[in-house]
Amino acid sequence: MRITCPNCGERDRREFYYQGDALALDRPSQDAGLSVWDDYLHNRGNPAGDTKDLWFHEAGCGAWLVVDRNTVTHAVHKAVLAEKVKR
Amino acid sequence: MAKLIALTPCAGLLPISLGKIAVTEVLPDRLMSVAPFAGQNKAVSAKLKSHVGAVLSGLNRRIGGVTWFGHGTWMVAGDVALDGLAAVTDQSDAWAVVAISGAGSEDVLARLVPIDLRATVFKKNHVAKTMLGHLSVTITRTAANTFEIMVMRSMAQTLVHDLDVAMRGVAARG
């Protein structure tokens, strides 16, 4: 599996650290209520198919990426800098 | 008065050579990491131009003493004064810097580094943040057959060991 880092280009998966669902970027507002925060903190889907994950280019440029990939076909569609993702 | 003995990161480890390939230690006087604050890249570039004679390099590139060092960070060989413009840290003693040179250096690195470092794609002053064996390294091509490799100082012995084994492997192949 190879990921194309927006800074470094195409690199082996070994250079990256996997964090989890990119849902983590959609932080609820402080007064959103307990159920929304509970959902944000603890509940994640486990889809077979397209996912958006956070990856860290640990052994490379040190950037956080949002990677679009498919868990069934193992295709990596694209990777963008997490700081550039609209929130 | 006591005389303090300063040891370089690769003291007792380098130089080594085998055939046409030599590994030597590089000793920059100063290494300052520079991470410009948001929107300050141009101002930092202007200051660096007067401090060290080079502007902030592009991604994966080196200009003079300024080396791209990861996301939003550059390593500058020389003194800088960037108050209010960038986060600056003196890292002079934190890095082991070695140069591997000679025909066949590419073959040695090809055994250790998972990216393409051939001259057709990785040219002079190109920089790669990647791995060498299990080490996180910054590799720069400084001349046709010369690469500069930076690792954290604590990894100097592992780096030299890995290079030594790979050099012998390449030599054994003839």
Side-chain angles (χ1 to χ4, degrees):
Chain A
M1 182 170 146
R2 292 170 78 76
I3 295 173
T4 302
C5 170
N7 289 331
C8 305
E10 191 185 304
R11 293 295 174 89
D12 193 89
R13 187 206 59 80
R14 280 176 291 171
E15 293 193 5
F16 298 85
Y17 170 82
Y18 174 77
Q19 168 68 26
D21 199 317
L23 199 68
L25 294 175
D26 302 325
R27 199 179 170 83
S29 67
Q30 218 165 346
D31 53 6
L34 281 180
S35 65
V36 175
W37 270 97
D38 176 67
D39 194 40
Y40 170 73
L41 286 174
H42 303 295
N43 297 328
R44 295 290 183 268
N46 185 22
D50 288 333
T51 57
K52 265 182 200 287
D53 311 308
L54 282 171
W55 292 74
F56 179 50
H57 198 181
E58 187 180 29
C61 64
W64 279 98
L65 310 178
V66 175
V67 177
D68 273 301
R69 66 188 181 99
N70 190 300
T71 56
V72 176
T73 63
H74 302 298
V76 177
H77 304 306
K78 74 172 180 182
V80 295
L81 292 173
E83 68 178 30
K84 296 263 170 76
V85 172
K86 259 197 180 161
R87 273 178 267 167
Chain B
M1 183 144 162
K3 269 196 174 173
L4 299 177
I5 302 165
L7 290 178
T8 65
C10 297
L13 299 171
L14 293 177
I16 56 171
S17 65
L18 188 62
K20 287 177 182 156
I21 303 168
V23 181
T24 53
E25 183 166 21
V26 179
L27 292 167
D29 290 335
R30 266 300 166 90
L31 283 175
M32 309 288 269
S33 75
V34 171
F37 296 142
Q40 299 292 355
N41 279 25
K42 272 194 178 163
V44 169
S45 266
K47 286 266 188 185
L48 286 180
K49 184 85 184 162
S50 69
H51 292 327
V52 297
V55 297
L56 291 178
S57 50
L59 299 178
N60 306 295
R61 294 291 183 273
R62 164 183 288 185
I63 303 176
V66 180
T67 307
W68 181 74
F69 214 71
H71 191 58
T73 310
W74 284 262
M75 193 63 84
V76 179
D79 259 329
V80 296
L82 296 165
D83 279 357
L85 297 176
V88 177
T89 310
D90 186 343
Q91 302 201 20
S92 306
D93 291 325
W95 297 90
V97 188
V98 312
I100 179 166
S101 58
S105 314
E106 272 178 26
D107 302 331
V108 172
L109 292 181
R111 291 185 169 231
L112 298 164
V113 181
I115 67 167
D116 192 352
L117 294 176
R118 289 175 302 168
T120 45
V121 287
F122 194 76
K123 303 185 167 117
K124 193 184 169 191
N125 287 326
H126 282 209
V127 176
K129 301 279 299 177
T130 183
M131 304 186 82
L132 185 147
H134 291 176
L135 307 175
S136 287
V137 293
T138 306
I139 301 176
T140 308
R141 185 190 283 272
T142 53
N145 268 323
T146 308
F147 297 88
E148 187 189 285
I149 306 165
M150 292 179 76
V151 285
M152 283 185 277
R153 185 183 179 128
S154 58
M155 298 293 151
Q157 196 167 355
T158 309
L159 171 68
V160 172
H161 173 77
D162 284 352
L163 288 174
D164 184 44
V165 170
M167 280 162 71
R168 281 188 271 150
V170 169
R173 283 247 157 188

